[in-house]
């Protein structure tokens, strides 16, 4: 739920928001955006006391004390809602074999016992990734460990490295970000090679670089048999293991092909090549469809496109300009990622670049707590090479205006009415990043459309239903099967 703040005076926007109100806005804009009331501690552990809340966080907690708790009882792994949201993603992935309940809960206990922080969260999950990525001990009588065991150990390792990657910028070794990404990437590549059949790996030309792709085919496929195919698009901070949980596994179970890729601002292109997001996602998806259309095992008339989290914005832009998309799913509908930042922070950014950056550097940055500094670094590294490099060096970027303009440019309000493909727009109870935007996207659509909200009544609340990926996939793929049936 979104916290309410006093709007700045119109005649002095910069100075009116640059201190405490802007900082509170940053807290709400980050992973800790949920309003959390009192709830029971997890039954399996007695968490260590959380660090003292900063003034903005304390104020936000007080303002939301009477609000419904989106993660009650046993759903509360961590006292902090941002960390809790991440932990729920790891736990929910167990339904797709991308984590193990016991491993995740053991990690949760370890982190709470040590004292919850970016450092303990990163170190603990990275340790679990290292444990599972290492070659397993030989089986009985010295026989080699079966590939099936290595396969899913690698998938779980990729999950745990992904958890560590999200918070590494808040640790005492932010420069490890690329290496943590590469550790997770190696685990993911090992998993894909051990799939049956092995995923096809390729590089698709895009501008001056190439997009890494992984093409999954169902077991028992025939190379000459065209099948429906789904292109799975990640969001602003997800990794490929999330695409397994939110689409690949479900697609294969239904006899579909699935394509996973890294675009600019994602995966390899972000963490290795340092390429930020682009507002022209049709230029990303177009080459992927070109690549698919050259394959005999792809039905060209049944290529669907899905977007998870901020990917719901990216794929809407692509579908507005790419006529070969037969069906579109936005999970959730996201019209403007910039509106996911709190208004007080957005008001710091004006048309005057010099003034914006002066206020940022002189009035906002000096008052950032370590927790808020982490939030700033993580939220903006995807939009700016300078922000990414500064974050890895343990510094706050000095140019707020440039990455803000890139985020603003992702607004798809004007192009959504151009979409021709049938479109499913998902929404979630307690959607904490893009509240109200899924309905807005649905209202803008002129094609065949459907709007569905996943609810707390079935444990599918929160952004992207972290506790219910199986429900999520059933809904998406049942809809796709209906739309693409012939």
């Amino acid at each position: 739920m979104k916290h309410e703040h006093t709007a700045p005076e119109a005649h002095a926007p910069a100075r009116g928001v640059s201190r405490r109100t802007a900082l509170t806005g940053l807290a709400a804009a980050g992973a800790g955006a949920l309003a959390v009331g009192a709830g029971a501690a997890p039954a399996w552990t007695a968490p260590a006391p959380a660090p003292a809340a900063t003034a903005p966080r304390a104020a936000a907690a007080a303002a939301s004390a009477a609000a419904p708790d989106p993660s009650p009882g046993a759903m509360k792994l961590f006292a902090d809602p941002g960390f809790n949201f991440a932990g729920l993603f790891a736990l929910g992935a167990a339904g797709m074999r991308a984590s193990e309940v016991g491993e995740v809960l053991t990690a949760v206990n370890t982190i709470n016992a040590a004292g919850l922080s970016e450092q303990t969260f990163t170190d603990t999950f990275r340790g679990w990734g290292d444990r599972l990525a290492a070659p397993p001990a030989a089986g009985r009588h010295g026989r080699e460990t079966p590939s099936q065991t290595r396969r899913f150990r690698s998938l779980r390792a990729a999950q745990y490295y992904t958890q560590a990657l999200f918070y590494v910028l808040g640790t005492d070794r932010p420069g490890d970000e690329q290496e943590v990404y590469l550790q997770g990437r190696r685990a993911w590549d090992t998993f894909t090679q051990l799939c049956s059949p092995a995923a096809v790996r390729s590089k698709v030309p895009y501008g001056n670089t190439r997009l890494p792709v992984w093409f999954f085919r169902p077991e028992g496929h025939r190379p000459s048999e065209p099948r429906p195919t789904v292109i799975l698009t990640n969001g602003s901070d997800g990794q490929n293991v999330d695409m397994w949980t939110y689409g690949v596994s479900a697609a294969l179970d239904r006899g579909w092909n699935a394509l996973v890729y890294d675009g600019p601002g994602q995966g390899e292109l972000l963490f290795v090549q340092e390429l930020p997001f682009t507002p022209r996602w049709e230029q990303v998806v177009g080459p992927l469809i070109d690549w698919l259309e050259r394959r005999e095992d792809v039905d060209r008339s049944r290529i669907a496109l899905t977007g998870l989290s901020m990917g719901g914005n990216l794929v809407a832009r692509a579908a507005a300009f790419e006529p070969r998309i037969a069906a579109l799913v936005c999970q959730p509908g996201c019209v403007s990622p910039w509106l996911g930042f709190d208004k007080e922070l957005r008001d710091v950014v004006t048309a005057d670049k010099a003034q914006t950056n002066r206020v940022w550097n002189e009035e906002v940055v000096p008052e950032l707590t370590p927790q808020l500094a982490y939030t700033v670094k993580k939220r903006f590294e995807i939009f700016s090479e300078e922000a990414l490099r500064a974050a890895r060096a343990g510094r706050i970027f000095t140019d707020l205006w440039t990455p803000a303009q890139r985020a603003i440019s992702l607004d798809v309000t004007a192009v959504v009415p151009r979409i021709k493909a049938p479109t499913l727009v998902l929404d979630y109870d307690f959607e904490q990043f893009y509240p109200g935007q899924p309905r807005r996207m649905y209202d803008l659509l002129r094609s065949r459309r459907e709007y569905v909200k996943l609810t707390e009544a079935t444990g599918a609340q929160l952004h992207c239903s972290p506790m219910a990926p199986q429900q999520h996939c059933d809904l998406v793929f049942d809809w796709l099967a209906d739309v693409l049936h012939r």
Side-chain angles (χ1 to χ4, degrees):
M1 295 181 67
K2 197 172 182 66
H3 306 312
E4 294 183 0
H5 306 291
T6 302
E9 294 182 16
H11 64 277
R15 190 166 300 276
V17 301
S18 61
R19 295 187 180 275
R20 287 300 177 192
T21 51
L23 300 184
T24 307
L26 285 169
L34 288 170
V36 178
W44 48 86
T45 184
T54 63
R57 291 191 180 191
S64 62
D69 188 346
S71 338
M75 296 176 185
K76 189 162 292 180
L77 308 180
F78 299 110
D80 179 273
F83 285 104
N84 197 63
F85 182 63
L88 291 176
F89 260 108
L91 192 62
M96 301 298 190
R97 301 187 69 176
S99 71
E100 178 82 286
V101 170
E103 292 168 356
V104 174
L105 295 185
T106 299
V108 169
N109 285 349
T110 300
I111 294 164
N112 281 325
L116 176 63
S117 69
E118 289 84 359
Q119 189 75 51
T120 59
F121 192 98
T122 298
D123 290 347
T124 301
F125 275 108
R126 191 176 185 183
W128 273 102
D130 291 344
R131 180 182 305 184
L132 292 169
R140 295 181 63 188
H141 310 298
R143 296 192 182 97
E144 183 180 354
T145 302
S147 61
Q148 189 79 346
T149 298
R150 292 176 51 224
R151 175 188 176 192
F152 285 100
R153 280 174 61 97
S154 298
L155 182 64
R156 301 200 314 272
Q159 174 70 245
Y160 303 144
Y161 284 130
T162 291
Q163 295 300 320
L165 178 64
F166 188 85
Y167 284 106
V168 69
L169 292 180
T171 71
D172 59 10
R173 296 177 62 182
D176 281 1
E177 183 182 57
Q178 184 179 108
E179 178 53 31
V180 176
Y181 163 73
L182 290 172
Q183 288 178 298
R185 169 66 179 271
R186 288 190 287 269
W188 167 255
D189 284 341
T190 299
F191 166 73
T192 64
Q193 292 164 5
L194 294 173
C195 286
S196 180
V200 176
R201 294 176 58 189
S202 188
K203 296 279 190 176
V204 173
Y206 166 74
N208 296 322
T209 188
R210 290 175 176 268
L211 308 175
V213 301
W214 296 263
F215 182 69
F216 295 84
R217 300 153 295 168
E219 193 167 0
H221 83 291
R222 293 190 292 274
S224 60
E225 180 184 357
R227 293 178 180 271
T229 300
V230 59
I231 302 173
L232 300 162
T233 304
N234 224 323
S236 64
D237 48 46
Q239 302 306 315
N240 291 321
V241 64
D242 299 324
M243 296 295 91
W244 173 265
T245 301
Y246 283 88
V248 176
S249 179
L252 298 180
D253 286 346
R254 290 160 173 79
W256 286 41
N257 304 317
L259 181 76
V260 174
Y261 67 100
D262 288 339
Q266 301 172 325
E268 178 184 321
L269 270 68
L270 175 67
F271 295 111
V272 178
Q273 300 184 35
E274 301 182 354
L275 294 179
F277 273 102
T278 174
R280 300 196 171 186
W281 210 255
E282 70 277 10
Q283 296 178 1
V284 179
V285 170
L288 299 176
I289 297 179
D290 293 342
W291 187 87
L292 287 173
E293 289 189 333
R294 291 192 288 269
R295 297 189 58 89
E296 291 186 7
D297 53 359
V298 171
D299 184 339
R300 297 182 181 184
S301 68
R302 293 193 288 172
I303 296 177
L305 179 64
T306 70
L308 188 70
S309 191
M310 199 181 89
N313 167 270
L314 305 174
V315 298
R317 166 75 195 202
F321 295 95
E322 176 49 75
R324 293 175 291 177
I325 296 168
L328 175 70
V329 184
C330 300
Q331 313 163 121
C334 172
V335 175
S336 174
W338 181 237
L339 294 179
F341 290 84
D342 203 81
K343 183 179 185 300
E344 282 72 18
L345 173 62
R346 288 185 275 122
D347 283 344
V348 173
V349 180
T350 68
D352 188 328
K353 179 177 180 179
Q355 172 70 0
T356 295
N357 288 339
R358 186 198 66 76
V359 171
W360 175 248
N361 291 296
E362 296 180 9
E363 301 184 33
V364 177
V365 172
E367 297 212 22
L368 293 177
T369 65
Q371 293 82 8
L372 293 175
Y374 157 75
T375 299
V376 166
K377 294 170 188 175
K378 187 63 183 174
R379 291 283 281 175
F380 283 97
E381 70 167 352
I382 60 175
F383 296 121
S384 162
E385 180 181 338
E386 186 234 342
L388 182 147
R389 291 181 174 180
R392 290 177 173 177
R395 296 182 285 102
I396 299 292
F397 54 93
T398 58
D399 179 7
L400 169 67
W401 192 87
T402 298
Q405 298 310 305
R406 189 172 295 272
I408 291 168
S409 72
L410 292 172
D411 190 296
V412 295
T413 303
V415 301
V416 168
R418 297 182 52 157
I419 295 172
K420 298 293 194 297
T423 301
L424 171 63
V425 178
L426 296 189
D427 198 354
Y428 310 93
D429 276 349
F430 300 105
E431 166 60 47
Q432 65 266 43
F433 299 110
Y434 310 119
Q437 293 200 41
R439 175 59 71 172
R440 172 64 175 154
M441 178 176 284
Y442 175 80
D443 290 341
L444 290 169
L445 286 164
R446 299 295 178 264
S447 61
R448 172 180 171 182
R449 58 184 182 160
E450 187 166 353
Y451 169 94
V452 178
K453 177 175 280 192
L454 288 98
T455 71
E456 65 176 324
T458 60
Q461 70 267 38
L462 301 176
H463 181 71
C464 297
S465 300
M467 296 173 285
Q470 295 179 76
Q471 287 184 46
H472 197 280
C473 286
D474 286 348
L475 171 62
V476 168
F477 282 89
D478 286 353
W479 183 86
L480 287 174
D482 179 61
V483 168
L484 300 181
H485 174 74
R486 68 177 195 194

